[in-house]
Amino acid sequence: MTISSEHAPLLEAARAAAEATYSPYSHFPVGAALLGANGEVIKGCNVENISYGLTNCAERSALFSAISQGQVPRSFKVMAVYAPKVELISPCGACRQVLLELMAPDALILCQGSDPEQSRTWTLEQLLPGAFNAF
Ligand code: THU
C-alpha cells in the first residue's frame, strides 16, 4: 500500500524530525512522527552513542517521547517514518516489537525514503507476523 495524501502533514513532520538527528557515527538521519489521540503530533529522531548499541531509533524516540509527555499507550493510529539516505526505510526488528506493544492494534506505519514512489504503508501484522505479544 502506498501512502495516502491525507497523511502528507504527518510525513512532513517526520521529515522535520529527521533534521534533529544525532547520528555522527552512521550519518543516517531518520525522523518519525506520531499522531496522538488528541491530534497532537509527536516527533522523534535517531539518537546515537559512541557505544553503538545504545542508539535509539527514531521510531522508539517518538513513542517514548509521546508516552513521557502523557499520551496513552496504544492510542496511536499512525506513525510516519522518513529517512533520506535510503530509497525506502523499513523499521528495524527492535522497533517492530516496540511498535507492536505501543501503537494501536490497527495502526498504520507509513515509510518513506528518497524515492517517494517506493513509499509503503504497513500494518503491525505485516511488520511482525506471529509476534510475541502482550495484548
Ligand atoms: N534507524 C532508525 O532510526 N530507524 C530505522 O527504522 C532504521 C535505523 C537508525 C539507527 C541508527 O542511528 C541509524 O539509523 C543507522 O542504522
Side-chain angles (χ1 to χ4, degrees), residues 100-132:
L100 182 71
E101 179 141 348
L102 297 179
M103 295 294 289
D106 60 346
L108 296 176
I109 313 300
L110 322 175
C111 295
Q112 188 170 100
S114 60
D115 180 5
E117 300 238 313
Q118 292 190 38
S119 300
R120 289 286 308 257
T121 296
W122 301 98
T123 64
L124 296 171
E125 172 63 23
Q126 287 172 324
L127 285 177
L128 201 60
F132 175 53

mmCIF file of all heavy atoms in Angstrom, residues 100-132:
data_model
loop_
_atom_site.group_PDB
_atom_site.id
_atom_site.type_symbol
_atom_site.label_atom_id
_atom_site.label_comp_id
_atom_site.label_asym_id
_atom_site.label_seq_id
_atom_site.Cartn_x
_atom_site.Cartn_y
_atom_site.Cartn_z
ATOM 1 N N LEU A 100 4.611 -2.756 18.040
ATOM 2 C CA LEU A 100 3.509 -3.693 18.284
ATOM 3 C C LEU A 100 2.890 -3.466 19.654
ATOM 4 O O LEU A 100 1.677 -3.533 19.827
ATOM 5 C CB LEU A 100 4.035 -5.127 18.174
ATOM 6 C CG LEU A 100 2.992 -6.222 18.357
ATOM 7 C CD1 LEU A 100 2.054 -6.268 17.164
ATOM 8 C CD2 LEU A 100 3.662 -7.574 18.547
ATOM 9 N N GLU A 101 3.712 -3.181 20.637
ATOM 10 C CA GLU A 101 3.206 -3.026 22.003
ATOM 11 C C GLU A 101 2.593 -1.650 22.253
ATOM 12 O O GLU A 101 1.643 -1.520 23.021
ATOM 13 C CB GLU A 101 4.333 -3.278 23.016
ATOM 14 C CG GLU A 101 3.884 -3.116 24.460
ATOM 15 C CD GLU A 101 4.489 -4.135 25.400
ATOM 16 O OE1 GLU A 101 5.085 -5.124 24.940
ATOM 17 O OE2 GLU A 101 4.342 -3.925 26.619
ATOM 18 N N LEU A 102 3.117 -0.600 21.602
ATOM 19 C CA LEU A 102 2.712 0.755 21.974
ATOM 20 C C LEU A 102 1.795 1.466 20.979
ATOM 21 O O LEU A 102 1.139 2.450 21.338
ATOM 22 C CB LEU A 102 3.961 1.613 22.235
ATOM 23 C CG LEU A 102 4.827 1.131 23.415
ATOM 24 C CD1 LEU A 102 6.049 2.041 23.575
ATOM 25 C CD2 LEU A 102 4.026 1.094 24.714
ATOM 26 N N MET A 103 1.750 0.998 19.721
ATOM 27 C CA MET A 103 0.797 1.579 18.773
ATOM 28 C C MET A 103 -0.564 0.917 18.988
ATOM 29 O O MET A 103 -0.672 -0.155 19.589
ATOM 30 C CB MET A 103 1.256 1.318 17.329
ATOM 31 C CG MET A 103 2.566 1.987 16.917
ATOM 32 S SD MET A 103 2.529 3.797 16.872
ATOM 33 C CE MET A 103 1.485 4.115 15.435
ATOM 34 N N ALA A 104 -1.629 1.549 18.457
ATOM 35 C CA ALA A 104 -2.942 0.911 18.471
ATOM 36 C C ALA A 104 -2.868 -0.367 17.625
ATOM 37 O O ALA A 104 -2.101 -0.425 16.653
ATOM 38 C CB ALA A 104 -3.981 1.863 17.888
ATOM 39 N N PRO A 105 -3.645 -1.405 17.969
ATOM 40 C CA PRO A 105 -3.545 -2.675 17.233
ATOM 41 C C PRO A 105 -3.786 -2.529 15.729
ATOM 42 O O PRO A 105 -3.209 -3.264 14.940
ATOM 43 C CB PRO A 105 -4.629 -3.544 17.880
ATOM 44 C CG PRO A 105 -4.854 -2.941 19.223
ATOM 45 C CD PRO A 105 -4.566 -1.473 19.098
ATOM 46 N N ASP A 106 -4.609 -1.568 15.339
ATOM 47 C CA ASP A 106 -4.913 -1.383 13.911
ATOM 48 C C ASP A 106 -4.112 -0.234 13.287
ATOM 49 O O ASP A 106 -4.503 0.310 12.256
ATOM 50 C CB ASP A 106 -6.415 -1.140 13.721
ATOM 51 C CG ASP A 106 -6.889 0.113 14.463
ATOM 52 O OD1 ASP A 106 -6.128 0.630 15.327
ATOM 53 O OD2 ASP A 106 -8.020 0.566 14.188
ATOM 54 N N ALA A 107 -2.999 0.109 13.918
ATOM 55 C CA ALA A 107 -2.211 1.263 13.460
ATOM 56 C C ALA A 107 -1.576 1.015 12.095
ATOM 57 O O ALA A 107 -1.345 -0.128 11.687
ATOM 58 C CB ALA A 107 -1.112 1.570 14.477
ATOM 59 N N LEU A 108 -1.283 2.121 11.413
ATOM 60 C CA LEU A 108 -0.559 2.081 10.136
ATOM 61 C C LEU A 108 0.797 2.760 10.309
ATOM 62 O O LEU A 108 0.887 3.809 10.970
ATOM 63 C CB LEU A 108 -1.356 2.798 9.047
ATOM 64 C CG LEU A 108 -2.702 2.172 8.673
ATOM 65 C CD1 LEU A 108 -3.414 3.043 7.647
ATOM 66 C CD2 LEU A 108 -2.511 0.749 8.146
ATOM 67 N N ILE A 109 1.822 2.166 9.709
ATOM 68 C CA ILE A 109 3.170 2.729 9.743
ATOM 69 C C ILE A 109 3.522 3.135 8.314
ATOM 70 O O ILE A 109 3.600 2.287 7.422
ATOM 71 C CB ILE A 109 4.206 1.696 10.261
ATOM 72 C CG1 ILE A 109 3.710 0.981 11.525
ATOM 73 C CG2 ILE A 109 5.556 2.369 10.488
ATOM 74 C CD1 ILE A 109 3.420 1.866 12.710
ATOM 75 N N LEU A 110 3.692 4.450 8.107
ATOM 76 C CA LEU A 110 3.959 4.983 6.774
ATOM 77 C C LEU A 110 5.462 5.201 6.621
ATOM 78 O O LEU A 110 6.059 5.897 7.441
ATOM 79 C CB LEU A 110 3.253 6.326 6.587
ATOM 80 C CG LEU A 110 1.855 6.488 7.204
ATOM 81 C CD1 LEU A 110 1.366 7.914 7.013
ATOM 82 C CD2 LEU A 110 0.893 5.501 6.568
ATOM 83 N N CYS A 111 6.061 4.600 5.620
ATOM 84 C CA CYS A 111 7.516 4.667 5.467
ATOM 85 C C CYS A 111 7.891 5.314 4.144
ATOM 86 O O CYS A 111 7.371 4.927 3.090
ATOM 87 C CB CYS A 111 8.118 3.267 5.532
ATOM 88 S SG CYS A 111 7.918 2.478 7.142
ATOM 89 N N GLN A 112 8.819 6.282 4.229
ATOM 90 C CA GLN A 112 9.270 6.942 3.006
ATOM 91 C C GLN A 112 10.780 7.204 3.061
ATOM 92 O O GLN A 112 11.322 7.588 4.097
ATOM 93 C CB GLN A 112 8.540 8.269 2.804
ATOM 94 C CG GLN A 112 8.845 8.891 1.459
ATOM 95 C CD GLN A 112 7.949 10.083 1.148
ATOM 96 O OE1 GLN A 112 8.352 11.220 1.317
ATOM 97 N NE2 GLN A 112 6.738 9.820 0.707
ATOM 98 N N GLY A 113 11.421 6.987 1.923
ATOM 99 C CA GLY A 113 12.839 7.298 1.780
ATOM 100 C C GLY A 113 13.025 8.336 0.694
ATOM 101 O O GLY A 113 12.142 9.172 0.465
ATOM 102 N N SER A 114 14.152 8.252 -0.014
ATOM 103 C CA SER A 114 14.455 9.273 -1.023
ATOM 104 C C SER A 114 13.607 9.124 -2.282
ATOM 105 O O SER A 114 13.507 10.054 -3.075
ATOM 106 C CB SER A 114 15.938 9.193 -1.398
ATOM 107 O OG SER A 114 16.215 7.905 -1.927
ATOM 108 N N ASP A 115 13.012 7.956 -2.476
ATOM 109 C CA ASP A 115 12.162 7.742 -3.655
ATOM 110 C C ASP A 115 10.699 7.603 -3.223
ATOM 111 O O ASP A 115 10.254 6.514 -2.844
ATOM 112 C CB ASP A 115 12.614 6.484 -4.404
ATOM 113 C CG ASP A 115 11.757 6.232 -5.635
ATOM 114 O OD1 ASP A 115 10.884 7.079 -5.947
ATOM 115 O OD2 ASP A 115 11.955 5.178 -6.283
ATOM 116 N N PRO A 116 9.938 8.701 -3.254
ATOM 117 C CA PRO A 116 8.540 8.676 -2.773
ATOM 118 C C PRO A 116 7.691 7.608 -3.473
ATOM 119 O O PRO A 116 6.736 7.096 -2.894
ATOM 120 C CB PRO A 116 8.025 10.081 -3.087
ATOM 121 C CG PRO A 116 9.251 10.923 -3.209
ATOM 122 C CD PRO A 116 10.336 10.019 -3.723
ATOM 123 N N GLU A 117 8.060 7.255 -4.695
ATOM 124 C CA GLU A 117 7.284 6.237 -5.436
ATOM 125 C C GLU A 117 7.333 4.867 -4.759
ATOM 126 O O GLU A 117 6.455 4.035 -4.959
ATOM 127 C CB GLU A 117 7.857 6.103 -6.843
ATOM 128 C CG GLU A 117 7.790 7.398 -7.625
ATOM 129 C CD GLU A 117 7.005 7.248 -8.903
ATOM 130 O OE1 GLU A 117 7.246 6.265 -9.622
ATOM 131 O OE2 GLU A 117 6.151 8.106 -9.157
ATOM 132 N N GLN A 118 8.372 4.649 -3.994
ATOM 133 C CA GLN A 118 8.530 3.354 -3.321
ATOM 134 C C GLN A 118 7.904 3.342 -1.919
ATOM 135 O O GLN A 118 7.987 2.335 -1.226
ATOM 136 C CB GLN A 118 10.013 2.978 -3.201
ATOM 137 C CG GLN A 118 10.677 2.675 -4.519
ATOM 138 C CD GLN A 118 12.063 2.079 -4.317
ATOM 139 O OE1 GLN A 118 12.295 1.298 -3.408
ATOM 140 N NE2 GLN A 118 12.990 2.461 -5.173
ATOM 141 N N SER A 119 7.295 4.452 -1.507
ATOM 142 C CA SER A 119 6.733 4.553 -0.152
ATOM 143 C C SER A 119 5.800 3.394 0.153
ATOM 144 O O SER A 119 5.105 2.892 -0.739
ATOM 145 C CB SER A 119 5.956 5.866 -0.013
ATOM 146 O OG SER A 119 6.810 6.953 -0.247
ATOM 147 N N ARG A 120 5.789 2.981 1.419
ATOM 148 C CA ARG A 120 4.953 1.851 1.823
ATOM 149 C C ARG A 120 4.157 2.186 3.073
ATOM 150 O O ARG A 120 4.606 2.925 3.937
ATOM 151 C CB ARG A 120 5.826 0.628 2.175
ATOM 152 C CG ARG A 120 6.498 -0.065 1.013
ATOM 153 C CD ARG A 120 5.567 -0.904 0.154
ATOM 154 N NE ARG A 120 4.752 -1.869 0.896
ATOM 155 C CZ ARG A 120 5.001 -3.177 0.940
ATOM 156 N NH1 ARG A 120 6.041 -3.676 0.316
ATOM 157 N NH2 ARG A 120 4.198 -3.995 1.602
ATOM 158 N N THR A 121 2.975 1.636 3.158
ATOM 159 C CA THR A 121 2.182 1.681 4.382
ATOM 160 C C THR A 121 2.059 0.253 4.896
ATOM 161 O O THR A 121 1.637 -0.641 4.160
ATOM 162 C CB THR A 121 0.782 2.269 4.105
ATOM 163 O OG1 THR A 121 0.932 3.619 3.682
ATOM 164 C CG2 THR A 121 -0.081 2.234 5.351
ATOM 165 N N TRP A 122 2.460 0.062 6.160
ATOM 166 C CA TRP A 122 2.463 -1.272 6.750
ATOM 167 C C TRP A 122 1.464 -1.360 7.906
ATOM 168 O O TRP A 122 1.303 -0.407 8.673
ATOM 169 C CB TRP A 122 3.827 -1.591 7.357
ATOM 170 C CG TRP A 122 5.005 -1.566 6.457
ATOM 171 C CD1 TRP A 122 5.891 -0.540 6.293
ATOM 172 C CD2 TRP A 122 5.478 -2.620 5.606
ATOM 173 N NE1 TRP A 122 6.873 -0.894 5.394
ATOM 174 C CE2 TRP A 122 6.649 -2.161 4.968
ATOM 175 C CE3 TRP A 122 5.019 -3.914 5.340
ATOM 176 C CZ2 TRP A 122 7.371 -2.941 4.065
ATOM 177 C CZ3 TRP A 122 5.737 -4.690 4.456
ATOM 178 C CH2 TRP A 122 6.895 -4.210 3.829
ATOM 179 N N THR A 123 0.861 -2.525 8.070
ATOM 180 C CA THR A 123 0.150 -2.822 9.315
ATOM 181 C C THR A 123 1.161 -3.473 10.265
ATOM 182 O O THR A 123 2.231 -3.934 9.841
ATOM 183 C CB THR A 123 -1.015 -3.808 9.086
ATOM 184 O OG1 THR A 123 -0.463 -5.056 8.635
ATOM 185 C CG2 THR A 123 -2.006 -3.270 8.047
ATOM 186 N N LEU A 124 0.801 -3.535 11.544
ATOM 187 C CA LEU A 124 1.704 -4.159 12.519
ATOM 188 C C LEU A 124 1.848 -5.654 12.239
ATOM 189 O O LEU A 124 2.927 -6.227 12.400
ATOM 190 C CB LEU A 124 1.191 -3.911 13.941
ATOM 191 C CG LEU A 124 1.187 -2.434 14.348
ATOM 192 C CD1 LEU A 124 0.459 -2.258 15.673
ATOM 193 C CD2 LEU A 124 2.604 -1.883 14.450
ATOM 194 N N GLU A 125 0.763 -6.278 11.806
ATOM 195 C CA GLU A 125 0.804 -7.711 11.478
ATOM 196 C C GLU A 125 1.764 -7.973 10.318
ATOM 197 O O GLU A 125 2.476 -8.974 10.304
ATOM 198 C CB GLU A 125 -0.615 -8.208 11.157
ATOM 199 C CG GLU A 125 -0.712 -9.632 10.612
ATOM 200 C CD GLU A 125 -0.240 -10.720 11.583
ATOM 201 O OE1 GLU A 125 -0.248 -10.476 12.804
ATOM 202 O OE2 GLU A 125 0.137 -11.811 11.100
ATOM 203 N N GLN A 126 1.804 -7.051 9.365
ATOM 204 C CA GLN A 126 2.738 -7.208 8.244
ATOM 205 C C GLN A 126 4.186 -7.026 8.701
ATOM 206 O O GLN A 126 5.084 -7.705 8.207
ATOM 207 C CB GLN A 126 2.433 -6.186 7.137
ATOM 208 C CG GLN A 126 1.175 -6.511 6.353
ATOM 209 C CD GLN A 126 0.793 -5.381 5.405
ATOM 210 O OE1 GLN A 126 0.956 -4.204 5.702
ATOM 211 N NE2 GLN A 126 0.270 -5.749 4.253
ATOM 212 N N LEU A 127 4.389 -6.101 9.650
ATOM 213 C CA LEU A 127 5.755 -5.835 10.107
ATOM 214 C C LEU A 127 6.300 -6.949 10.990
ATOM 215 O O LEU A 127 7.495 -7.222 10.983
ATOM 216 C CB LEU A 127 5.815 -4.509 10.874
ATOM 217 C CG LEU A 127 5.755 -3.230 10.054
ATOM 218 C CD1 LEU A 127 5.760 -2.011 10.975
ATOM 219 C CD2 LEU A 127 6.912 -3.143 9.072
ATOM 220 N N LEU A 128 5.412 -7.562 11.796
ATOM 221 C CA LEU A 128 5.890 -8.577 12.745
ATOM 222 C C LEU A 128 4.874 -9.712 12.875
ATOM 223 O O LEU A 128 4.196 -9.842 13.896
ATOM 224 C CB LEU A 128 6.143 -7.906 14.107
ATOM 225 C CG LEU A 128 7.091 -8.636 15.055
ATOM 226 C CD1 LEU A 128 8.473 -8.803 14.444
ATOM 227 C CD2 LEU A 128 7.198 -7.894 16.379
ATOM 228 N N PRO A 129 4.779 -10.544 11.831
ATOM 229 C CA PRO A 129 3.806 -11.642 11.876
ATOM 230 C C PRO A 129 4.174 -12.670 12.944
ATOM 231 O O PRO A 129 5.350 -12.916 13.201
ATOM 232 C CB PRO A 129 3.891 -12.255 10.469
ATOM 233 C CG PRO A 129 5.164 -11.782 9.891
ATOM 234 C CD PRO A 129 5.537 -10.498 10.570
ATOM 235 N N GLY A 130 3.163 -13.230 13.561
ATOM 236 C CA GLY A 130 3.383 -14.284 14.554
ATOM 237 C C GLY A 130 4.150 -13.805 15.765
ATOM 238 O O GLY A 130 4.899 -14.575 16.373
ATOM 239 N N ALA A 131 3.948 -12.545 16.124
ATOM 240 C CA ALA A 131 4.787 -11.924 17.164
ATOM 241 C C ALA A 131 4.506 -12.430 18.578
ATOM 242 O O ALA A 131 3.424 -12.915 18.883
ATOM 243 C CB ALA A 131 4.565 -10.409 17.144
ATOM 244 N N PHE A 132 5.508 -12.294 19.421
ATOM 245 C CA PHE A 132 5.361 -12.448 20.874
ATOM 246 C C PHE A 132 4.706 -11.153 21.345
ATOM 247 O O PHE A 132 5.300 -10.077 21.256
ATOM 248 C CB PHE A 132 6.750 -12.607 21.503
ATOM 249 C CG PHE A 132 6.754 -12.662 22.994
ATOM 250 C CD1 PHE A 132 5.945 -13.563 23.688
ATOM 251 C CD2 PHE A 132 7.596 -11.844 23.737
ATOM 252 C CE1 PHE A 132 5.966 -13.629 25.076
ATOM 253 C CE2 PHE A 132 7.634 -11.912 25.120
ATOM 254 C CZ PHE A 132 6.806 -12.815 25.782
#
